[in-house]
Amino acid sequence: MDRGIRTTGRLLAFMAALALVLPASAAPRRDRALEGQLRTHIEVLASDEFEGREPGTEGEAKTLRYLGQQWFDIGLVSGTNSPGNEWFVPITLVAREPADSAAQFTRRGRRHFLTGSDALMLTSGKRSLVRDAPVLFVGTARTVPVRTELAGRVALLLDGGQSDGERQDALIAAGAAAVVTVLDAERTLESVAARRKRSGYALASEALGGDLEGFMTAEALDRVLHGGATSVASLRAEAERPGFAPRLLDMTASLEATTSESTIRTHNLIGKLPGRRPDSGAVLFLAHWDHFGVCGEVEAEDRICNGAIDNASGLAALTEIARRLARGPRPDRDIYFLATTAEELGLLGAHAFADNPPVPLSQIVAAFNIDSIALAPAGTPLAIVGRGMTPLDAEIEKVARAMKRRVVPGDAANAYVRRQDGWALLQHDIPTVMVTSAYADLDRVEAFFEGDYHRPSDNLANREIELGGAAEDVAFHVALGRWFGDARRVPPRAR
C-alpha cells in the first residue's frame, strides 16, 4: 500500500477516535447560556454575603454549603472515601506572627547588643535560639557552602539587592544554624519588617521547622566590626573577587526569635464522578475557594475582598465542568473535583490533599488547576502553565487540535507556575498543569495583578467581568476530562 494512503488512513482513524470522546462540533461558538451560568455562580460566591471567603469564618461555611449543594445536585458523590460519606476534609492551620527578636554579636571579648532599629530576627517555629555560634561570611551566596562548613554556624550574607529569599532557604537547607542578611543595598530594615512582620501559615500536621533568619543594617555591622581591618565595604569587595571562598569572621552571634500562635480550622471539599473502571486511575480538576475576607483599609468604604476573578470564577468553571461531564457518557476513570482551602496562605489546601489523598497519588494520570479564569475574551488561544514540566503536553495538544483551539508556543506562562495550586501538586509528583486562555496574554494578566488583584475592587460591582474565554475554557476542560478519563487513550502512570 502506498505510504501516503496509509498515512491518510491513520489520520482518518485518529480523527474518528477523537469524535468518540469529543463534542461533535468543535467550531468556536459563543456559549451565552454557559456564560450566564458562570456569572450566576460568581454573583453568589463573590457577594458581600460571603464576606470574602476567608478560611475559618462564616464566609467559608457559606461557600462550602453552596458548592456542596451544587455538586450534589449535579450528581457527584463524596470524594473523600470517609466512612460517613463526608464531602468536607477538615484541615487545621497554624498562624504564627513574629513576636520578640534579639541579636547580639561578640567580637574580641566585647558584646554588641543590637536594637530593633539595627536588626530583626524571625523564625518559622514558636521559638528559635542560637548561642555564641561562629559567624561564616558567605558573600552573596552565589555558591552555597557544603554542610561541613555551615553546620552549627551563622551564615552572614550580603543582600546585594536580591530579595527573593532563595539564597537564605538554601543556606538553611545546607545546615546553617541561622542566616543573617546584611542590608547593604536598596532594601531597608523598615521595608523588610513591613513585609515580614505578618502572620505566616502552615499545616498543623507539619512541624514548623524553627528556622532562624535575620536581617541587620550595614551600619550595625560596621559598628560590630569597628577597630579592625574589616568593614562592610571590604566584605563587599571581597565577595566580588573571582574565586571568593566563605571564611570565618572573628566573632560569634547569639540570636533569638519567637512567635505568637493561633489556630484556624478550615476544609477542602472533594466530589467525585465515579468511573466504570476506577482501577484504571483517576483525573483531578481543582480550584481554590478561599480569599482574604475583610482586607481593605479601615477607613475605606468597601473593605471586603470579594475575589470575583480570583477565584470565584475558577469555582464557577469547576462546577460547570462537573455538570457537563456528569451529563455525558460515564468515563473509565474516576474524576475528582477538589475545592481547596488556604491557597492564598501558601497553597496549603493542595498540600493537605496530597498528604492525605482519597486515591494513591500514583493513580492520578492528570490534574488540571483552574484559577482566575475570567480574564480573556472569546477566541483567545490557550496557554499551559506548567508546560514542559509534565508528560501531559502532547495529549493536551491533541485535544486542542480536535477542538480547533490554538495553544500559544513557548513556556512564558511558566513565570506564574509557583503562584497557583498546581505547583503544590507538582511537588508531590502529580502531573498538574493549568490550561487557560487567561494566561495567553501576559500583559492582560499583569494588568489584573497590578489592578484589582487581592483588592476589594475585584468584584462584580466594580467591573464588567469577561466570561467569553472562560466559557470556551470550560468546554475545553470537559474535553480534557473525557480524553484523560478514557483508559484506552491515556495509559495509567508507571508506578
Side-chain angles (χ1 to χ4, degrees):
M1 184 183 294
D2 180 78
R3 178 183 297 177
I5 296 175
R6 289 200 303 270
T7 301
T8 302
R10 285 197 297 270
L11 178 60
L12 291 173
F14 172 71
M15 296 307 293
L18 284 176
L20 295 176
V21 293
L22 300 177
S25 174
R29 185 174 57 186
R30 195 78 180 257
D31 191 338
R32 299 288 185 179
L34 175 53
E35 290 181 34
Q37 290 168 317
L38 294 174
R39 184 180 302 277
T40 297
H41 293 308
I42 297 169
E43 286 173 348
V44 173
L45 292 164
S47 67
D48 284 354
E49 182 184 352
F50 280 57
E51 302 172 343
R53 304 189 306 279
E54 183 178 4
T57 68
E58 180 60 23
E60 168 176 351
K62 291 178 179 178
T63 300
L64 295 182
R65 281 198 297 268
Y66 177 83
L67 291 173
Q69 187 63 57
Q70 288 286 326
W71 293 8
F72 179 83
D73 291 345
I74 285 169
L76 302 187
V77 300
S78 166
T80 64
N81 296 335
S82 66
N85 200 35
E86 295 291 335
W87 289 62
F88 308 106
V89 180
I91 297 168
T92 302
L93 309 178
V94 173
R96 283 184 170 151
E97 186 173 341
D100 296 325
S101 167
Q104 170 193 301
F105 290 86
T106 301
R107 181 171 177 269
R108 298 180 179 177
R110 182 181 178 186
R111 296 184 182 275
H112 300 264
F113 296 90
L114 304 190
T115 68
S117 61
D118 296 324
L120 171 67
M121 299 305 303
L122 301 163
T123 178
S124 59
K126 195 164 187 177
R127 178 176 184 250
S128 290
L129 172 69
V130 298
R131 290 190 187 279
D132 298 321
V135 177
L136 181 72
F137 177 56
V138 297
T140 56
R142 287 190 291 264
T143 301
V144 176
V146 297
R147 183 172 295 273
T148 53
E149 286 188 277
L150 284 167
R153 295 170 172 174
V154 172
L156 189 72
L157 169 72
L158 295 179
D159 188 41
Q162 302 178 51
S163 59
D164 54 25
E166 292 183 1
R167 296 174 300 161
Q168 291 87 341
D169 292 345
L171 290 165
I172 290 288
V179 177
V180 176
T181 301
V182 181
L183 299 172
D184 66 323
E186 294 79 13
R187 282 203 297 174
T188 65
L189 194 64
E190 292 76 15
S191 67
V192 170
R195 185 173 61 87
R196 298 294 297 272
K197 278 196 168 182
R198 302 172 184 169
S199 293
Y201 299 85
L203 297 171
S205 58
E206 298 177 351
L208 291 183
D211 297 340
L212 186 56
E213 180 186 359
F215 300 85
M216 68 184 296
T217 66
E219 294 78 12
L221 181 57
D222 268 335
R223 289 200 302 272
V224 173
L225 296 171
H226 181 70
T230 305
S231 65
V232 171
S234 70
L235 289 175
R236 187 183 300 116
E238 181 181 340
E240 292 173 353
R241 291 190 195 111
F244 166 80
R247 68 175 178 92
L248 284 170
L249 300 179
D250 61 341
M251 61 184 184
T252 62
S254 295
L255 312 168
E256 182 178 9
T258 63
T259 60
S260 58
E261 183 177 298
S262 59
T263 298
I264 301 170
R265 303 194 186 280
T266 183
H267 302 80
N268 280 346
L269 168 64
I270 310 178
K272 180 173 71 174
L273 180 63
R276 295 183 298 108
R277 295 173 49 196
D279 60 337
S280 64
V283 178
L284 173 66
F285 292 97
L286 69 152
H288 75 90
W289 63 257
D290 65 302
H291 206 56
F292 290 102
V294 178
C295 70
E297 300 294 335
V298 174
E299 66 275 8
E301 182 177 343
D302 180 9
R303 299 188 59 213
I304 297 177
C305 281
N306 304 86
I309 290 175
D310 181 20
N311 188 32
S313 69
L315 296 172
L318 185 67
T319 299
E320 291 308 312
I321 292 164
R323 189 186 311 279
R324 282 151 181 75
L325 285 171
R327 287 174 181 168
R330 190 176 175 189
D332 291 333
R333 295 187 167 109
D334 289 342
I335 299 182
Y336 285 86
F337 298 87
L338 168 65
T340 59
T341 185
E343 188 267 0
E344 303 289 9
L345 304 181
L347 318 181
L348 298 180
H351 280 297
F353 171 86
D355 288 341
N356 185 28
V359 61
L361 299 184
S362 61
Q363 292 186 21
I364 301 176
V365 298
F368 301 99
N369 187 36
I370 306 166
D371 199 341
S372 302
I373 200 171
L375 287 174
T380 302
L382 295 162
I384 302 176
V385 181
R387 190 184 188 108
M389 298 181 179
T390 74
L392 305 180
D393 296 353
E395 300 298 319
I396 293 169
E397 293 276 4
K398 291 177 186 177
V399 179
R401 287 194 293 272
M403 293 287 290
K404 294 183 171 52
R405 295 293 303 272
R406 186 173 74 87
V407 179
V408 295
D411 59 0
N414 286 357
Y416 302 93
V417 71
R418 294 171 181 259
R419 299 178 61 164
Q420 44 88 41
D421 272 336
W423 179 246
L425 300 189
L426 282 169
Q427 290 176 293
H428 293 270
D429 200 29
I430 303 172
T432 311
V433 292
M434 192 160 69
V435 187
T436 173
S437 59
Y439 283 71
D441 182 342
L442 298 187
D443 289 340
R444 183 186 292 118
V445 174
E446 280 302 316
F448 171 62
F449 285 150
E450 293 171 6
D452 297 331
Y453 177 65
H454 289 180
R455 293 181 173 90
S457 54
D458 182 12
N459 61 36
L460 292 181
N462 178 65
R463 62 184 299 160
E464 179 61 32
I465 197 165
E466 175 57 70
L467 292 170
E472 292 179 346
D473 288 2
V474 166
F476 190 76
H477 280 78
V478 171
L480 289 174
R482 291 175 180 159
W483 182 259
F484 283 91
D486 189 334
R488 298 169 302 169
R489 311 293 176 203
V490 180
R493 290 172 61 193
R495 301 180 188 175

